Amino acid sequence: MPHLVAALLALSLAHASAADATDPTQAPVWRTPAEASDFQRTPRLEETLAWFRALAEASPLVDYAEFARSPQGRPLARVVVSADGVRDPDQAHADGRTVVLVQAAIHAGENEGKDALMAFVRDIAIHGRHHDHLQDVVLVLLPVFNVDGHERFSPHNRINQNGPEAMGWRVTANNLNLNRDFAKADAPEMRAWLGLWNRWRPHMLVDMHNTNGADYQYAMTWAFERAGNLHPAIEAWQERAFNGTVAPAMARRGWPLFTYVMMADPTDPGQGLFEWASSPRYSTGYAAVANRAGLLLETHMLKDFRTRTEVNVAILEELLATLAADGQALRDAVERADAGTVALAAAGGSLAVDFRTTEETREVEFLGYAAHAKTSTLSGGTWVRWDPAQPVTYTVPMRDRFEATAEVTLPAAWVVPGEWREVIDRLADHGIHGIPVGPVGGFEAEVTRLHDPAFSPTPVEGRQVLTRVSPQRARERIDIPAGSLLVPADQPLARLAAHLLEPEAPDALLRWGFFNTVFERKEYAEPRVMEAIARQMLESDPQLREAFEAKRSEDAAFAADPRAILYWFYQRSPWYDEAFQRYPVLRLDPADLQRLRAAD
């Protein structure tokens, strides 16, 4: 027996019952730690990784590798499962395989996805199940994404969750929520994930979670994007595969599914439900703007650990069967989405970058429980208790229609000046194609001025976030320094590039604070100096005098504020900092792009 299998056997026996050890049909070494403990415990990180290493030693279908280290030095591991031992991403794509990335424990207290993956891969590698579904599918699995959070292990994590006896923590060692980090990629773990994502170029992402919120009958809810934030070809495939195939199959197995929703009134499900669109800070929102299918799985936190694990195994099996039957259609949809994105940019088309749920409703049936609400004598608030002994089928209004709230016209290209290295590096992390350019002096292009900014009063995911801004664009002459990056829009990742570079997008790097220094004034005009200069400006420019008099007569607050008056003149003087509140990223039209390529 290989030494890793022997080590794992000893480990499993320590947690298995005497009956387990003597039952020849339940070899203890291949019972997951969750199963061996009757679903009382989930394994620690090293025990989990040892399990997958043992499976890789025992089966040619499984490959285990570590692709990065966490900030605290722990391994980030990926497990590849394929019919014939494919290990190379390029080979998988050349062979026409559907590549699926499944990740668990991005929120490391929400652990059952990891335990389900352990059982799912065991069933494939040891019990010989699902091999016919693997002929054209390659699974790339991340059993534990947030490894440092996983090892902040305690029985007092996840207060809202029903077991196991101890589990990991929601966020990373740097207190970052990885499922808010896909766009800005501040966490080292996320940048490592982006490297894995870009190497494997999966056609679909599955992200395994556990809910908070109300109680209801469903063991699992799920979500996939359809708000107009992804290409129609991907949207159509998801609707057919998920709602058309997987959902009915799960219902036949006794696992009805429902959309992952919020309640209009958290104390009363009868008041209605609503969905929302995910921006690319989230896993499924990121997959959408990268022209890939994405599925969010949310087991229900109050269902027991066994139930939560088993429903995850069931949906993994149904997803694999669906991909085996419909994988070619997904690959075709991805190809059409990539080509359509290139064509959209080449045509200077528009792209919606932010959405909201409309007030339009439709009636749906929702399998809930009776809710009993009363005013708490302790807190004075509303105390809601759900009664699983009283299942209720509610007929409720559902708000699941969306409208765009921000739209941008795609340029021919963007230029990121060379001094903004962190931004250039982030674009490279995302796999966005860029071409070094510069220096080019006095280049005319579209420049964006940022007016009326507002910022979050406290940090959001470690950054002071720009919560409001009014972009105004105009043609200006500007120098493009050495080391700048030209980002053509006619590339498959143009949607992602737009979401990162256009100020209107909620997850633009500007919004996340990567450019916050442009909002800081570094030079000032003293009143004694500006008083004299303002008079000279009025004497030499009649149009300026007219504009000043109009401003003073129309704006009483301005007229009563000496500092505002002098600043008004300073803004119009040649001493004013032209870089203040100027967005550094340039937008190029097709003629600009041609001129820059000729000048560079």
Side-chain angles (χ1 to χ4, degrees):
M1 179 180 295
H3 66 281
L4 282 174
V5 177
L8 192 56
L9 174 60
L11 190 60
S12 298
L13 284 173
H15 299 290
S17 66
D20 293 335
T22 57
D23 183 355
T25 67
Q26 294 290 330
V29 70
W30 296 124
R31 300 192 74 201
T32 70
E35 293 166 343
S37 68
D38 196 25
F39 290 91
Q40 297 303 303
R41 63 179 292 269
T42 187
R44 300 292 293 268
L45 178 66
E46 181 48 41
E47 189 178 359
T48 301
L49 299 186
W51 175 268
F52 285 103
R53 289 195 297 267
L55 287 173
E57 286 195 4
S59 171
L61 306 182
V62 181
D63 182 63
Y64 171 94
E66 295 170 3
F67 64 93
R69 289 272 163 175
S70 73
Q72 291 186 335
R74 295 185 176 92
L76 276 76
R78 63 96 180 118
V79 177
V80 176
V81 182
S82 63
D84 51 3
V86 171
R87 306 291 182 262
D88 178 64
D90 293 334
Q91 187 64 52
H93 284 273
D95 290 346
R97 311 292 181 90
T98 303
V99 180
V100 183
L101 176 60
V102 184
Q103 61 191 31
I106 187 173
H107 295 154
E110 304 169 22
N111 58 276
E112 58 274 3
K114 168 199 68 179
D115 297 275
L117 287 175
M118 296 174 78
F120 180 59
V121 178
R122 181 270 318 277
D123 289 348
I124 292 172
I126 304 302
H127 296 163
R129 299 174 188 166
H130 317 305
H131 286 192
D132 54 332
H133 294 153
L134 277 174
Q135 296 308 309
D136 295 315
V137 180
V138 175
L139 302 174
V140 182
L141 312 177
L142 272 63
V144 181
F145 185 5
N146 178 12
V147 293
D148 289 343
H150 189 279
E151 291 309 283
R152 186 176 167 181
F153 211 75
S154 170
H156 302 297
N157 295 342
R158 290 288 291 167
I159 190 172
N160 302 318
Q161 185 170 296
N162 180 12
E165 62 190 20
M167 65 213 71
W169 187 248
R170 180 176 179 83
V171 295
T172 70
N174 297 112
N175 209 38
L176 290 173
N177 185 336
L178 288 174
N179 202 29
R180 308 294 185 272
D181 199 46
F182 283 88
K184 65 184 177 68
D186 278 337
E189 298 95 325
M190 184 56 71
R191 294 195 292 275
W193 182 94
L194 288 171
L196 183 78
W197 172 266
N198 290 323
R199 284 193 297 277
W200 279 94
R201 308 185 305 284
H203 301 93
M204 186 168 85
L205 170 65
V206 180
D207 193 12
M208 307 176 81
H209 286 255
N210 180 291
T211 66
N212 289 303
D215 199 2
Y216 41 73
Q217 297 177 47
Y218 304 100
M220 174 178 283
T221 55
W222 64 354
F224 45 93
E225 298 306 310
R226 52 185 188 80
N229 53 352
L230 77 169
H231 191 276
I234 304 293
E235 181 181 359
W237 184 89
Q238 290 186 158
E239 179 64 28
R240 185 179 71 253
F242 298 157
N243 278 337
T245 302
V246 177
M250 289 291 286
R252 289 192 294 271
R253 296 177 66 157
W255 300 112
L257 299 170
F258 196 82
T259 304
Y260 183 50
V261 291
M262 297 290 288
M263 290 187 176
D265 180 348
T267 68
D268 181 7
Q271 295 303 308
L273 311 169
F274 66 92
E275 285 188 68
W276 65 96
S278 292
S279 67
R281 73 183 62 183
Y282 303 101
S283 59
T284 52
Y286 186 85
V289 301
N291 295 330
R292 297 301 186 265
L295 182 62
L296 176 72
L297 302 180
E298 292 274 357
T299 55
H300 190 265
M301 78 288 185
L302 293 180
K303 302 299 183 283
D304 62 73
F305 181 29
R306 179 193 298 272
T307 298
R308 301 195 321 261
T309 303
E310 289 177 349
V311 71
N312 266 317
V313 172
I315 200 167
L316 288 170
E317 292 172 347
E318 295 302 334
L319 284 170
L320 180 57
T322 299
L323 288 164
D326 208 24
Q328 181 64 59
L330 174 58
R331 298 195 298 273
D332 290 344
V334 166
E335 187 174 336
R336 288 198 302 275
D338 283 347
T341 299
V342 174
L344 179 70
S350 62
L351 179 69
V353 294
D354 201 9
F355 303 86
R356 68 182 170 201
T357 309
T358 71
E359 296 301 318
E360 182 182 353
T361 63
R362 63 185 180 94
E363 285 196 342
V364 297
E365 287 191 347
F366 181 75
L367 303 180
Y369 295 127
H372 304 285
K374 69 176 185 178
T375 300
S376 168
T377 58
L378 173 67
S379 67
T382 301
W383 183 15
V384 183
R385 284 177 290 181
W386 311 88
D387 187 357
Q390 296 185 56
V392 177
T393 300
Y394 293 94
T395 300
V396 298
M398 164 74 93
R399 292 168 51 214
D400 59 357
R401 300 292 185 267
F402 306 93
E403 63 184 7
T405 58
E407 194 168 303
V408 298
T409 300
L410 291 174
W414 298 269
V415 174
V416 182
E419 63 269 24
W420 298 95
R421 284 314 318 172
E422 186 180 27
V423 173
I424 291 172
D425 290 344
R426 283 293 192 278
L427 296 176
D429 290 334
H430 285 287
I432 293 170
H433 172 60
I435 304 164
V437 294
V440 178
F443 189 82
E444 184 177 302
E446 188 174 71
V447 172
T448 305
R449 297 284 175 175
L450 305 169
H451 300 282
D452 194 28
F455 297 88
S456 60
T458 57
V460 178
E461 291 300 314
R463 288 183 171 270
Q464 186 184 24
V465 172
L466 181 64
T467 58
R468 184 190 68 224
V469 71
S470 297
Q472 294 183 7
R473 297 182 172 92
R475 303 281 297 179
E476 295 184 21
R477 298 189 72 84
I478 195 166
D479 294 337
I480 297 176
S484 297
L485 188 72
L486 172 69
V487 181
D490 59 345
Q491 60 173 299
L493 290 180
R495 288 173 178 268
L496 176 58
H499 275 269
L500 295 177
L501 295 176
E502 292 292 341
E504 291 87 349
D507 278 331
L509 298 180
L510 171 72
R511 297 285 187 139
W512 278 112
F514 283 73
F515 296 96
N516 274 4
T517 53
V518 304
F519 298 101
E520 300 177 23
R521 289 175 58 199
K522 301 299 185 180
E523 285 284 0
Y524 301 84
E526 293 185 5
R528 64 176 180 83
V529 175
M530 209 60 232
E531 287 279 2
I533 291 175
R535 285 166 171 77
Q536 294 170 5
M537 292 170 68
L538 287 172
E539 290 174 5
S540 62
D541 190 339
Q543 289 184 333
L544 181 70
R545 178 183 290 276
E546 183 179 343
F548 172 63
E549 294 298 345
K551 174 72 172 174
R552 188 160 57 175
S553 65
E554 295 167 2
D555 189 339
F558 172 78
D561 188 343
R563 295 180 67 88
I565 290 172
L566 293 178
Y567 185 66
W568 188 91
F569 283 100
Y570 178 46
Q571 285 181 295
R572 289 154 178 80
S573 78
W575 285 274
Y576 186 72
D577 179 10
E578 284 301 312
F580 178 58
Q581 293 190 343
R582 182 181 69 202
Y583 184 41
V585 177
L586 308 180
R587 288 167 48 93
L588 275 55
D589 64 23
D592 296 333
L593 179 57
Q594 186 175 4
R595 285 190 297 108
L596 180 59
R597 284 173 167 162
D600 185 51

